Amino acid sequence: MNEPVLVQTDGHIGIATLNRPDVLNALSVELMDKLIDHIEAFDRDPDIRVIIIAGSEKVFAAGADIADMSGATFLDMYDRNNLGRWMRIKMVRTPIIAAVSGFALGGGCELAMACDMIVASESAKFGQPEIKLGVMPGLGGTQRLTRAIGKQRAMEMILTGRFMSAKEAYEAGLVTSVASKEQFLAEALRLAGRIAEMPPIAVKLAKESVNKADELSLQEGLAYERTLFYSLFATEDQTEGMQAFIEKRKPEYRGK
Ligand code: DAK
């Protein structure tokens, strides 16, 4: 029961559930290390085509563990190399869906934004309240929130620590979809299931290409996309997908 991250699989879907309910899933160093290890293991598993990171119905994660950080010095924080650890999430090729209900604050919001999609429950609350603790976002909040919802709203949220509701987050483009508290996990599984039916190599390369849109100029991004597009003509799944269309049957993708 003390495992900070629980894992299970459902068909081609790997699910990692944050499990520190007493402290609202605060992201301790141990939790993050285990979460990343599990996600990387899913990514290496050829049977896993989509990963879901979930919290509970009450909370996704209330941020980094404040008790862990309160007495930390510059060197303590620097030595933890949290950003280096988080860069490993970005190297995962399998699509990752964050299933968010309740609070996703500080590092919790940054974790959700580091995923590829966010399915939220109506009770979800997103925020970067670090300013109220005398600091600021340090795991991507100023960059990813700004890219997701634009400078005007990101600036207001980060400078005041205000929380954003699921409805507002959906309207602002931060989340993929919103479902009821009872249904958000089922909704994330449904989305994962639809992706898992697609050709796995094309899914991974398309994910990589979409994520490059945040980093490259349009011309560079178009060139990058084109190269990946051509490369898919080296896969059996491309032959199968197009042949199945012509033969009016359902394709059977093998990830080859
Ligand atoms: N850390 C540790 N414990 C936490 C916690 C957190 N982030 N959030 C909640 N808890 C604990 C509470 O202390 C409380 O413990 P007990 O008193 O029962 O022992 C328990 O969880 C229940 O919390 P509350 O009693 O406060 O519950 P409420 O429903 O009244 O309030 C709340 C819920 C989410 C509004 C409130 O708990 C809250 O404001 N929590 C803090 C949210 C926050 O400020 N998050 C941002 C943390 S700072 C780094 C870069 C960045 C970061 C780290 C490293 N590097 C580059 C190295 C990230 C920083 C952050 O995320």
Side-chain angles (χ1 to χ4, degrees):
M1 222 20 224
N2 288 333
E3 267 308 306
V5 182
L6 307 175
V7 283
Q8 63 188 108
T9 58
D10 179 352
H12 291 303
I13 304 166
I15 306 161
T17 304
L18 311 180
N19 183 44
R20 297 186 75 211
D22 296 347
V23 285
L24 307 186
N25 290 339
L27 304 171
S28 60
V29 171
E30 186 202 7
L31 180 150
M32 281 310 299
D33 280 344
K34 293 207 162 158
L35 177 65
I36 293 169
D37 286 348
H38 288 311
I39 291 173
E40 287 181 338
F42 281 144
D43 195 39
R44 284 192 299 270
D45 183 339
D47 280 340
I48 297 298
R49 297 184 178 181
V50 184
I51 298 168
I52 294 178
I53 301 177
S56 64
E57 190 184 303
K58 185 178 170 208
V59 62
F60 180 71
D65 194 319
I66 299 170
D68 255 10
M69 284 187 301
S70 63
T73 62
F74 159 79
L75 203 53
D76 295 331
M77 294 305 281
Y78 184 73
D79 278 350
R80 282 179 199 178
N81 191 19
N82 263 358
L83 210 53
R85 187 178 280 118
W86 282 52
M87 293 297 283
R88 286 166 55 198
I89 301 178
K90 273 337 268 179
M91 301 306 288
V92 168
R93 294 161 312 165
T94 310
I96 309 177
I97 300 172
V100 176
S101 187
F103 297 110
L105 304 178
C109 187
E110 292 168 312
L111 174 61
M113 291 191 293
C115 296
D116 301 302
M117 282 162 283
I118 301 175
V119 173
S121 92
E122 285 162 349
S123 74
K125 286 192 170 40
F126 298 88
Q128 299 288 163
E130 292 91 338
I131 202 82
K132 295 182 184 171
L133 299 170
V135 289
M136 60 178 275
L139 292 167
T142 62
Q143 305 304 300
R144 290 208 173 99
L145 189 65
T146 306
R147 280 172 166 78
I149 69 173
K151 175 183 161 184
Q152 297 302 325
R153 276 186 276 189
M155 190 71 87
E156 181 252 337
M157 283 182 67
I158 289 167
L159 299 192
T160 67
R162 180 176 76 83
F163 300 165
M164 188 180 248
S165 69
K167 182 171 181 289
E168 189 182 353
Y170 178 73
E171 284 163 3
L174 182 62
V175 308
T176 307
S177 60
V178 181
S180 68
K181 266 199 300 194
E182 296 73 29
Q183 282 295 314
F184 81 100
L185 200 51
E187 179 58 30
L189 281 162
R190 255 193 303 277
L191 173 59
R194 280 165 49 214
I195 296 167
E197 284 176 13
M198 298 299 147
I201 303 170
V203 164
K204 286 178 177 163
L205 295 191
K207 157 180 165 154
E208 187 179 325
S209 198
V210 171
N211 283 333
K212 283 286 178 203
D214 276 345
E215 287 158 29
L216 302 178
S217 71
L218 180 60
Q219 284 312 316
E220 289 165 331
L222 291 172
Y224 195 85
E225 176 192 86
R226 202 170 48 235
T227 306
L228 295 183
F229 172 80
Y230 289 146
S231 72
L232 287 170
F233 283 77
T235 65
E236 291 175 17
D237 284 347
Q238 172 269 327
T239 312
E240 167 63 8
M242 295 191 181
Q243 202 57 40
F245 177 83
I246 289 164
E247 292 167 10
K248 300 189 189 304
R249 61 173 172 82
K250 197 169 183 280
E252 276 180 44
Y253 293 122
R254 298 169 55 226
K256 298 219 163 152

